[in-house]
Amino acid sequence: MNTNATRTRHRRGIVVVDFGSQYTQLIARRVRELETWCEILSWRADGEAFRAAEPAGIILSGGPESATHEQSATIPDAVFDLSVPILGICYGMQALARHYGGRVATSGSHEFGHADIARHGSSKLLPEKASTQVWMSHADRVEVLPPGFSVTASSVNAPIAAMEDAHGRCFGLQFHPEVTHTPQGMEILDRFVHGICDAGRGWTTKEIVRESIDEIRANVGDEGVILALSGGVDSSVMAALLHRAIGDQLRCVMVDNGLLRLGEAEEVRAAFDPRQGNALPLNLRIVDASEEFLSELEGETDPERKRRLIGETFIRVFEREAGDLSSTPWLAQGTIYPDVVESAAATHGHADLIKSHHNVGGLPTRMKLKLIEPLRELFKDEVRQLGIALGLPDELVHRHPFPGPGLAVRHLGAITPDGLEVLRRADKIFLDTLRAHSLYSEVSQAFAVLLPVRSVGVVGDARRYARVVALRAVVTSDFMTADWARLPHDCLAEASNRIINEIPDVSRVVYDVSSKPPATIEWE
Ligand code: XMP
């Protein structure tokens, strides 16, 4: 737990060395699904970081570089100094082969998709089946084995599809065991993590709750923690966790900025307000600052200035409403593990990969607060499991992400109360329709956008010159890239009909068919 909090635990886990693959985080999640702690370190990280992790084994990720280039990323010496088993995947296998004196070459064609591998000889890593379906994505391949290694599987395009050394300590896979397209992938990872590395077990929701509570108590003692509750998954789960750990030492402030979705402030109140008889009687203050926000935003059309104004107003309101902080020196922040990994990648020179952090920037230093980040080690799916275990309502835990600036970045152009009203209603109809078609959980994020144009329509015999609403739904695993969701036409038709029929000021509904990149998920 960071930034001012200290970490006290020790786990015999796995370290994934990140060479920049799109699958790096997926590998770590898979290992954690096997109930073993797993962390990600950049291949550029200090040797000390590897030593401090004290892993039971190392997995080398894939990566976008070509191992045939002299200058391409190499495996840090610290990895070999640990003397633990190593599994190289794709680029990781090639880097391993190169390190031990093998040869990597470009195979001429990019092999992408399903492949069948045939097993050779005996292997500690691969299941016994003679032939196994796997997922390949590579252009380079190992052409000459390093001395002391043998081939354990081959495919048509990769004669050395898997290799291992004679001591059963070093393994390479040209294919990706972490993706679901490799049906026996989890079995392979399990054999490595538990069979070969004998890594510790115990990374379960129950254990995460227990450890987190111990750690929060050890850090906070009898001091107070203040939390800005947004109603999103992360801040809600964090509130529930902190409440379980320190009870009324936690003070939550929810700022209603007037840019929330329909009924959102009430929902949060219902989930946490003891007067409503629920299980989580938080010390919560909901502040209606909508007028203050909307008057700051009046006439503003520039997306970045809108964001900045909202950020500044938030800090001002929060500072005012948080009151006397002498007894609450800690600020809880909802940083989660992908934020940590992406920031590390950025400091190690992969700035193009970073998604900017959307936490309450500026608050901790201004308010002279110490930071506590209880979700810092968790992936989003783990945060959700924690939320369920702590008794939060299902609909809150499985809610799509919602941006800090709220509807301001979905109401294009200058914001007006009327526009917000239309947007709220359209958004609610769209999400209700998705739920009715059992599609809400099938997409990663869905919402309505109010466009700053008018368009002609006819209702009965009357001409209507009214607003245009765009619907956006995306599928993504990390929100850094995203595909537009192929929603069934009948679902779109129902949402469109309802929006136009039920909201008099809308004459047209369009569906956004842009993926990210080049488009972003939000419109502003
Ligand atoms: P983009 O639009 O950058 O969005 O593709 C990626 C994810 O981030 C969310 N998002 C934000 N969240 N403050 C936030 O808290 C912001 O300013 C912001 N901008 C985008 C967006 O909803 C999506 O989930």
Side-chain angles (χ1 to χ4, degrees):
M1 193 172 314
N2 227 351
T3 300
N4 304 87
T6 50
R7 221 177 100 168
T8 48
R9 49 196 126 146
H10 170 77
R11 311 155 172 151
R12 266 182 62 76
I14 299 290
V15 163
V16 177
V17 180
D18 182 17
F19 286 111
S21 161
Q22 57 172 328
Y23 295 134
T24 301
Q25 294 193 23
L26 185 58
I27 299 171
R29 277 166 52 205
R30 293 284 183 249
V31 173
R32 291 189 189 188
E33 281 171 27
L34 294 166
E35 302 192 343
T36 290
W37 163 247
C38 184
E39 65 188 291
I40 296 171
L41 292 175
S42 162
W43 68 276
R44 290 189 176 93
D46 289 343
E48 188 44 38
F50 289 96
R51 285 187 287 279
E54 296 180 51
I58 295 277
I59 298 181
L60 310 170
S61 84
E65 295 188 51
S66 170
T68 59
H69 297 156
E70 267 315 304
Q71 320 80 329
S72 54
T74 51
I75 306 165
D77 290 341
V79 163
F80 298 106
D81 294 344
L82 291 167
S83 301
V84 294
I86 302 175
L87 167 62
I89 296 175
C90 197
Y91 179 88
M93 167 185 182
Q94 295 157 13
L96 203 56
R98 230 179 62 170
H99 176 88
Y100 281 118
R103 194 163 66 80
V104 179
T106 301
S107 64
S109 61
H110 190 119
E111 186 182 17
F112 182 81
H114 288 290
D116 283 317
I117 54 164
R119 288 262 289 98
H120 302 286
S122 68
S123 167
K124 279 171 101 176
L125 184 67
L126 299 177
E128 288 308 318
K129 267 181 65 180
S131 170
T132 311
Q133 199 182 64
V134 298
W135 184 259
M136 294 276 194
S137 173
H138 65 112
D140 297 344
R141 65 186 191 194
V142 176
E143 293 273 319
V144 178
L145 282 176
F149 278 74
S150 57
V151 183
T152 50
S154 55
S155 73
V156 174
N157 281 310
I160 306 178
M163 63 178 198
E164 58 190 67
D165 73 346
H167 309 289
R169 303 283 290 172
C170 230
F171 304 82
L173 298 175
Q174 187 52 69
F175 58 89
H176 290 271
E178 69 276 20
V179 303
T180 49
H181 307 296
T182 299
Q184 285 179 303
M186 279 304 265
E187 188 181 340
I188 294 172
L189 289 175
D190 190 25
R191 281 167 164 251
F192 179 71
V193 171
H194 296 130
I196 294 163
C197 301
D198 192 24
R201 291 184 194 259
W203 186 252
T204 57
T205 307
K206 202 167 145 212
E207 198 51 27
I208 298 171
V209 172
R210 200 188 57 75
E211 274 193 12
S212 305
I213 287 177
D214 286 353
E215 212 165 286
I216 291 166
R217 287 182 182 152
N219 277 292
V220 170
D222 59 3
E223 295 181 321
V225 178
I226 189 153
L227 182 148
L229 190 68
S230 71
V233 182
D234 299 344
S235 70
S236 302
V237 172
M238 198 166 55
L241 182 62
L242 281 159
H243 182 264
R244 178 78 69 90
I246 57 170
D248 272 353
Q249 284 165 252
L250 173 70
R251 285 172 52 199
C252 298
V253 176
M254 176 169 181
V255 176
D256 180 351
N257 55 12
L259 302 162
L260 302 176
R261 287 164 290 191
L262 197 68
E264 196 159 8
E266 293 74 23
E267 256 179 63
V268 173
R269 191 191 291 281
F272 291 115
D273 191 335
R275 281 165 300 186
Q276 314 235 353
N278 64 64
L280 274 172
L282 276 195
N283 183 353
L284 167 66
R285 182 165 152 66
I286 300 183
V287 183
D288 181 0
S290 42
E291 274 183 26
E292 195 167 339
F293 277 85
L294 296 185
S295 79
E296 283 292 341
L297 286 167
E298 202 173 331
E300 187 55 70
T301 55
D302 179 80
E304 284 314 306
R305 279 210 295 271
K306 277 184 182 175
R307 273 199 170 75
R308 212 190 56 235
L309 280 173
I310 293 169
E312 287 166 4
T313 312
F314 179 84
I315 290 181
R316 195 172 65 234
V317 174
F318 191 78
E319 264 179 332
R320 194 174 66 218
E321 300 297 334
D324 174 24
L325 289 174
S326 53
S327 60
T328 46
W330 292 89
L331 177 77
Q333 182 143 281
T335 312
I336 63 171
Y337 198 55
D339 302 331
V340 176
V341 175
E342 285 154 29
S343 300
T347 34
H348 288 116
H350 287 281
D352 52 327
L353 291 180
I354 199 177
K355 182 178 82 174
S356 62
H357 284 194
H358 304 306
N359 290 321
V360 251
L363 262 181
T365 32
R366 264 186 75 126
M367 296 175 77
K368 299 195 177 55
L369 291 164
K370 297 184 274 187
L371 265 191
I372 186 163
E373 299 176 308
L375 309 180
R376 195 183 158 79
E377 295 190 324
L378 306 184
F379 285 111
K380 195 84 178 185
D381 39 0
E382 294 170 323
V383 173
R384 293 204 162 99
Q385 285 161 15
L386 204 62
I388 298 287
L390 291 164
L392 288 179
D394 212 56
E395 58 280 14
L396 206 158
V397 168
H398 288 107
R399 196 178 249 181
H400 293 164
F402 186 59
L407 298 181
V409 291
R410 298 178 178 173
H411 180 312
L412 307 198
I415 294 169
T416 62
D418 289 355
L420 282 175
E421 181 62 25
V422 169
L423 180 55
R424 278 197 182 98
R425 291 179 62 189
D427 190 69
K428 170 100 169 67
I429 292 173
F430 183 35
L431 296 191
D432 283 351
T433 312
L434 285 176
R435 286 197 184 91
H437 286 250
S438 304
L439 290 167
Y440 182 84
S441 322
E442 301 297 309
V443 299
S444 314
Q445 201 170 6
F447 51 88
V449 180
L450 186 69
L451 306 191
V453 289
R454 284 185 179 257
S455 155
V456 174
V458 278
V459 180
D461 292 331
R463 180 179 179 280
R464 174 153 99 174
Y465 187 53
R467 297 173 185 272
V468 181
V469 166
L471 302 181
R472 177 88 165 129
V474 294
V475 178
T476 171
S477 58
D478 56 11
F479 295 89
M480 284 156 63
T481 61
D483 202 7
W484 60 275
R486 276 37 172 193
L487 291 180
H489 289 180
D490 57 343
C491 168
L492 287 171
E494 190 177 318
S496 160
N497 283 342
R498 279 195 58 198
I499 290 169
I500 295 176
N501 288 333
E502 294 174 30
I503 311 175
D505 200 22
V506 176
S507 62
R508 193 174 296 267
V509 172
V510 296
Y511 187 56
D512 182 350
V513 290
S514 344
S515 289
K516 173 185 179 177
T520 50
I521 295 175
E522 302 291 345
W523 275 49
E524 277 194 345

